[in-house]
């Protein structure tokens, strides 16, 4: 379905981003990976699906590096047809104790990077009259949680950016939508499970049960594979008139 299309997925060397990149690769898209850590394993996993794959290690907190990444993608594959803004970090603290530098970093990577990548991708999409911008927000783009002020602010901002981008391109073949997952068992979430287990002296299984029980009625994690299939839907002809939605895949979290 996506043969001859190129998808750039930020924060895609593991977790949600890699799951989405794999789903798009299975549909025939060229993939540009981005993220910290080892890139060779995810590159080989994408290549094994038969897709053309490249990698750029841009620091998503730095606009000049984002510009370099977008230029690299265009020079490698022609243009970016599908942009998945997924890069994100987390820090947990009460507002009065939140380190200013951590606030700035969360906003830069979780929110501002999506703006910078989108503004650079849109002209080519508009010229082609086809494009997909998929912003990975969070259920925290719809509801709040204590001690996550920067993350919640950024993800609410992502939902707002999604709506504006969709409206500005509403009469074209360019769409913009947001995915709002609940708990997804990524390395980031596994650290939270491990920390809860250590702090309370309980097993990982019990820590997992408590974590899900606090917020997610389904009592199960959403998987990167499920999120990838939602991204594929947004890129399909069935998604042509899905514009500006914040689609939560959260086990009923926001329904409460």
């Amino acid at each position: 379905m996506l043969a001859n299309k190129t998808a750039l997925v930020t924060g895609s060397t593991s977790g949600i981003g890699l799951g989405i990149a794999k789903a798009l690769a299975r549909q025939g898209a060229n993939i540009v990976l981005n993220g910290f850590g080892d890139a060779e394993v995810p590159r080989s996993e994408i290549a094994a699906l038969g897709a053309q794959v490249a990698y750029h290690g841009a620091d998503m907190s730095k606009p000049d590096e984002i510009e370099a990444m977008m230029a690299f993608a265009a020079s490698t594959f022609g243009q970016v047809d599908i942009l998945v803004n997924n890069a994100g970090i987390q820090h947990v603290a009460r507002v009065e104790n939140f380190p200013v530098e951590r606030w700035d970093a969360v906003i830069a990577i979780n929110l501002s990077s999506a703006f910078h990548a989108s503004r650079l991708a849109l002209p080519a999409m508009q010229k082609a009259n086809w494009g997909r911008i998929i912003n990975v927000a969070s259920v925290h783009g719809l509801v709040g949680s204590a001690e996550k002020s920067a993350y919640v602010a950024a993800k609410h901002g992502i939902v707002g950016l999604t709506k504006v981008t969709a409206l500005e391109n509403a009469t074209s073949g360019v769409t913009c939508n947001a995915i709002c997952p609940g708990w997804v068992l990524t390395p980031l979430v596994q650290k939270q499970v491990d920390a809860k287990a250590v702090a309370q002296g309980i097993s990982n299984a019990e820590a997992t049960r408590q974590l899900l029980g606090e917020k997610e009625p389904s009592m199960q994690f959403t998987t990167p594979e499920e999120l990838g299939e939602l991204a594929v839907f947004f890129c399909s002809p069935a998604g042509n008139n899905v514009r500006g939605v914040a689609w939560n895949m959260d086990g009923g979290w926001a329904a409460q």
Side-chain angles (χ1 to χ4, degrees):
M1 185 180 72
L2 298 177
N4 301 315
K5 303 291 189 189
T6 295
L8 188 157
V9 187
T10 68
S12 53
T13 49
S14 66
I16 292 171
L18 182 56
I20 292 175
K22 286 180 177 179
L24 297 174
R26 290 187 189 99
Q27 295 296 326
N30 306 317
I31 303 296
V32 180
L33 297 171
N34 157 263
F36 296 130
D38 176 36
E40 288 310 308
V41 172
R43 279 183 71 144
S44 63
E45 291 176 359
I46 296 293
L49 298 171
Q52 297 293 313
V53 57
Y55 167 79
H56 194 281
D59 180 338
M60 298 305 293
S61 70
K62 298 178 178 177
D64 59 335
E65 294 195 22
I66 296 171
E67 291 186 9
M69 176 184 69
M70 299 300 291
F72 166 81
S75 66
T76 303
F77 292 120
Q79 72 176 58
V80 174
D81 304 286
I82 301 161
L83 171 64
V84 183
N85 290 308
N86 170 72
I89 59 172
Q90 174 67 286
H91 186 82
V92 178
R94 289 176 60 91
V95 170
E96 65 270 25
N97 298 324
F98 212 98
V100 171
E101 67 276 7
R102 298 310 298 162
W103 170 277
D104 290 343
V106 171
I107 296 300
I109 293 175
N110 294 31
L111 176 56
S112 296
S113 72
F115 160 72
H116 289 299
S118 296
R119 70 176 175 81
L120 295 164
L122 278 165
M125 292 179 178
Q126 291 161 345
K127 184 177 180 180
N129 199 36
W130 195 96
R132 296 290 185 267
I133 296 177
I134 301 169
N135 294 323
V136 179
S138 165
V139 68
H140 283 116
L142 306 171
V143 299
S145 288
E147 300 191 350
K148 295 183 178 181
S149 57
Y151 190 83
V152 170
K155 295 303 186 179
H156 272 66
I158 282 286
V159 170
L161 177 63
T162 297
K163 293 176 180 179
V164 172
T165 305
L167 291 172
E168 290 179 355
N169 294 278
T171 59
S172 76
V174 179
T175 72
C176 182
N177 294 289
I179 298 175
C180 299
W183 288 121
V184 183
L185 194 56
T186 62
L188 191 70
V189 171
Q190 186 62 57
K191 288 181 181 179
Q192 293 185 52
V193 172
D194 294 343
K196 183 181 283 285
V198 170
Q200 298 186 22
I202 56 178
S203 67
N204 263 46
E206 175 61 19
T208 297
R209 190 192 69 78
Q210 287 188 19
L211 188 77
L212 291 170
E214 291 169 6
K215 301 283 189 179
E216 195 142 349
S218 68
M219 293 298 290
Q220 65 187 52
F221 289 108
T222 300
T223 68
E225 291 73 24
E226 289 166 345
L227 297 170
E229 291 306 312
L230 180 54
V232 168
F233 165 73
F234 285 148
C235 294
S236 75
N240 282 348
N241 209 31
V242 180
R243 296 170 184 267
V245 305
W247 192 310
N248 44 313
M249 191 179 277
D250 63 359
W253 185 329
Q256 299 176 93

